[in-house]
Amino acid sequence: MSSADEHNLRAKAEAKIRARSHAIQNLTLEESKSLLHELEVHQVELEMQNEELREAQHRLEEVRDQYTDLFDFAPIGYLVLTEKVIIRNINLTACALLGIERSFIIGKPFSAYISNGESRTLFLNLRKAFKTGVLPSFEIEMKHKSKGNFTALLQGIITIDQKTNNTVCRVSLIDITELKKAEILQLQHKSLQKEKQKIQEYLNLAPVVFLLIDTDYKVQMINKKGCDLLRYENPEILGKHWFDHFISFTDINGTTVTQQHIKNEKGLLNPCFESLLKCRNNEMRLMSWTNVTLLDDNNKPIGTLIAGEDITERKKLESRQQKYTEELEDIVAERTEELKEALQQEKIISEMKSAFVSMASHEFRTPLTSILSSTILIEKYNDLKENTKVGKHVERIKSSVNQLTNILEDFLSMEKLERGIVTTSKETFDLKAFIFDTIEECNWMLKETQNINYIQKSPIEVFMDKKILRNVLLNLISNATKYSQTDVEIRASLNKDILNIDIEDKGIGIPENEHKHLFTKFFRAKNVTNIQGTGLGLSIVKHYVDLLEGTIAFSSKLGEGSTFKLMLPLHT
């Protein structure tokens, strides 16, 4: 209680005493003593009440201070807005979000701290809130004095200000910029995971083991063939040290070998080596490995792509053949020649398998390196907040996946043809419309200077397997566009019941001494080694033409181009 209040209270008390002075004068001594005692008791009661009031006031001041601390140092920004969107009060957290001291903010319009174009959103939401009593949560772009814009989440309620008795809006303010960025990164991560899943699906179709290890030799990806051979589930393999868990440094004869057997002086894996693979239940398989080191833009290793072939049975066979050869040294010359021929055939098979592994490793390396490097760059761009550069690398990943798909389709087509499980299903169709549809499918292959011209003088209706003919034409047109810079010409004519189709290009041509090998599996002419391809296309074409009971021929001059001629019977 203040001194002025105490003075007024005393003056009132003295006035009452003067009014009662007449009655007091007639009191007896005993009555005066009793009255004095009552006054003393009343005085003590008043003093006790005053003490209680002081304690209550002290507690109220403590609660007020605690409320002020909670308001100012809360992890969320708080502010009080009038109906005219003037800042009535604001806590320190909100001041920090805006980068301005409280004394410069109170009394200012809230719109001064909002990005251009966002004021209408704020006013509409506040107008509705003052009618409904609640400000639903909404996002808005705000300005920090020195750090630029940030995304804020606002929500609040409408209350009565006890001091002014006016309605105000009590608003919470949360910076959700990092949360929004995290949501974007999560979406990008999901997209990359889908692309990775697609790659995994394609690799699962490969007939050899494929795996990707990082620079710490931990497994980052492995295909189904690898899981089946190891007899482990995919999650049991991923993240494990490849050499510690799955490779034995004991050779097939039980001799221990050092890691120098598999690494060069730079610490990188040797391009090729053999080792024992440790499978579930202590089973060992002898493997032949082909390794490709993946490099970043600075030629620093970022991982290794490994292709592995199980050669256990082949080694056993080779061992038996060697022993058999030693035991038959005195066999007659005819038997010796037969044995030499058999060994030569085995050598050819071995060379073809080695060529396949080498080719597959080479053809898979380029798109997988592109995928891996693009993935790493996307992660870096995300860390650097350079999201505009991500799209180009996502497109590179998609292009590489399509490239892998085409390679695997060649492998699967050759396997089906060699196993004899491809059958024909004939139907009648118009040749011209069919070829135009096929040409349209090839438009994505064309270079800027290329066109595909089709010549057919009269209508032709054919009766044959439409799908097989399409595969033949797609392969031949693809080769013509790939090895040429100019237009490709397709001509079709009918001679009795024989359909003739010629595909001509003005490209690099085929060396004459290599003509005889052209339809051999995995063969590629020496002048196309720098142009991507599997060496399976023309071999597949030859198999398909045989299924159609037709023939294929070609003429070619080095540096002038090539013409492939199809002669297909039209059996009705």
Side-chain angles (χ1 to χ4, degrees), residues 207-307:
V208 295
V209 177
F210 275 108
L211 68 141
L212 181 67
I213 61 174
D214 59 22
T215 52
D216 295 325
Y217 306 119
K218 291 182 179 180
V219 181
Q220 300 301 316
M221 184 182 295
I222 188 167
N223 68 343
K224 187 176 185 299
K225 179 69 175 179
C227 294
D228 292 343
L229 192 60
L230 287 165
R231 297 183 182 177
Y232 287 106
E233 296 297 326
N234 195 285
E236 296 178 281
I237 302 173
L238 295 182
K240 297 287 181 62
H241 193 288
W242 177 241
F243 296 105
D244 289 350
H245 287 83
F246 304 109
I247 298 297
S248 172
F249 290 100
T250 302
D251 65 18
I252 197 168
N253 298 316
T255 304
T256 301
V257 296
T258 64
Q259 292 197 21
Q260 296 302 321
H261 174 66
I262 64 171
K263 296 180 184 177
N264 60 24
E265 62 279 2
K266 295 181 179 179
L268 303 177
L269 296 183
N270 290 327
C272 298
F273 65 85
E274 294 179 3
S275 74
L276 289 174
L277 182 68
K278 296 187 289 188
C279 306
R280 191 185 285 274
N281 299 327
N282 297 321
E283 181 185 357
M284 294 288 186
R285 306 295 297 180
L286 183 60
M287 302 292 296
S288 174
W289 302 108
T290 301
N291 312 290
V292 178
T293 300
L294 305 178
L295 306 174
D296 63 14
D297 292 341
N298 297 319
N299 286 325
K300 292 183 178 179
I302 56 177
T304 306
L305 177 66
I306 301 177

Side-chain angles (χ1 to χ4, degrees), residues 117-130:
E118 296 276 30
S119 297
R120 178 176 174 80
T121 301
L122 173 67
F123 285 124
L124 290 176
N125 280 284
L126 279 175
R127 182 188 297 172
K128 186 176 180 181
F130 278 105

Side-chain angles (χ1 to χ4, degrees), residues 35-231:
L35 180 61
L36 180 60
H37 175 72
E38 289 295 327
L39 287 173
E40 289 176 347
V41 170
H42 186 60
Q43 182 178 3
V44 171
E45 288 177 347
L46 286 175
E47 289 175 354
M48 292 174 65
Q49 288 176 357
N50 284 337
E51 183 64 26
E52 290 177 356
L53 286 173
R54 282 192 292 271
E55 289 179 0
Q57 182 178 6
H58 181 67
R59 286 196 297 272
L60 286 173
E61 289 174 351
E62 286 182 345
V63 171
R64 182 197 62 194
D65 292 341
Q66 290 174 357
Y67 168 77
T68 301
D69 289 343
L70 287 173
F71 179 73
D72 275 338
F73 300 108
I76 298 174
Y78 290 108
L79 61 156
V80 180
L81 300 178
T82 67
E83 287 194 54
K84 294 184 179 180
V85 201
I86 302 299
I87 300 174
R88 181 70 181 275
N89 197 3
I90 186 170
N91 72 343
L92 296 179
T93 303
C95 292
L97 289 175
L98 298 176
I100 305 174
E101 293 182 10
R102 178 156 48 193
S103 59
F104 295 105
I105 297 178
I106 294 177
K108 298 292 195 306
F110 187 50
S111 57
Y113 309 103
I114 296 174
S115 299
N116 295 334
E118 296 276 30
S119 297
R120 178 176 174 80
T121 301
L122 173 67
F123 285 124
L124 290 176
N125 280 284
L126 279 175
R127 182 188 297 172
K128 186 176 180 181
F130 278 105
K131 291 180 181 179
T132 62
V134 177
L135 179 65
S137 60
F138 67 97
E139 295 177 11
I140 196 166
E141 286 292 317
M142 299 194 65
K143 296 183 293 188
H144 185 281
K145 183 179 180 181
S146 58
K147 296 181 180 179
N149 293 353
F150 65 93
T151 303
L153 179 68
L154 274 63
Q155 60 181 354
I157 59 172
I158 304 300
T159 61
I160 301 296
D161 189 324
Q162 298 298 326
K163 292 183 180 180
T164 63
N165 205 32
N166 294 326
T167 55
V168 294
C169 184
R170 301 185 185 277
V171 182
S172 66
L173 176 67
I174 305 173
D175 183 357
I176 60 170
T177 306
E178 295 303 320
L179 180 61
K180 299 290 285 185
K181 291 178 181 178
E183 290 175 354
I184 294 172
L185 289 175
Q186 187 176 16
L187 291 174
Q188 292 173 344
H189 176 71
K190 287 181 179 179
S191 176
L192 289 175
Q193 286 296 105
K194 288 181 180 179
E195 295 297 337
K196 181 179 178 182
Q197 186 177 356
K198 284 184 181 179
I199 296 170
Q200 183 73 58
E201 290 173 357
Y202 295 136
L203 290 179
N204 285 343
L205 299 174
V208 295
V209 177
F210 275 108
L211 68 141
L212 181 67
I213 61 174
D214 59 22
T215 52
D216 295 325
Y217 306 119
K218 291 182 179 180
V219 181
Q220 300 301 316
M221 184 182 295
I222 188 167
N223 68 343
K224 187 176 185 299
K225 179 69 175 179
C227 294
D228 292 343
L229 192 60
L230 287 165
R231 297 183 182 177

